[in-house]
Amino acid sequence: MSAFAKTTHARAQGDDVFFELETDGVTRPFEISGDALRRYFGAADDSGSELLRAFEQAREKIQALAKKAQWVPSDGPIKLGTGDFDDG
């Protein structure tokens, strides 16, 4: 497992990657869709290893989005999907 995946406690579950990210002293749970990881970050399929590899490739964009979304009220993970990456 990559350094980013270890740091964020990332795990592939189904067609998503669940992880935790700390920004400004607050740790929040997040979920990124397999569709976004395939479409924008090169995951070849829906296997856990491919999703986690693409998750590592997406590190900078994920961190930037997480910082913007950290105060979003949520009872569960904050979901990141294809629409969050459409603008590049």
Side-chain angles (χ1 to χ4, degrees), residues 32-78:
I32 185 168
S33 72
D35 189 35
L37 292 169
R38 285 187 296 277
R39 186 178 296 187
Y40 297 103
F41 303 106
D45 55 41
D46 62 355
S47 67
S49 60
E50 272 298 302
L51 294 176
L52 289 170
R53 184 193 60 72
F55 175 78
E56 182 68 26
Q57 293 290 97
R59 177 183 187 152
E60 289 181 21
K61 290 194 178 195
I62 287 171
Q63 288 174 316
L65 277 173
K67 187 164 182 70
K68 289 180 185 177
Q70 71 177 340
W71 304 116
V72 170
S74 177
D75 290 333
I78 297 169

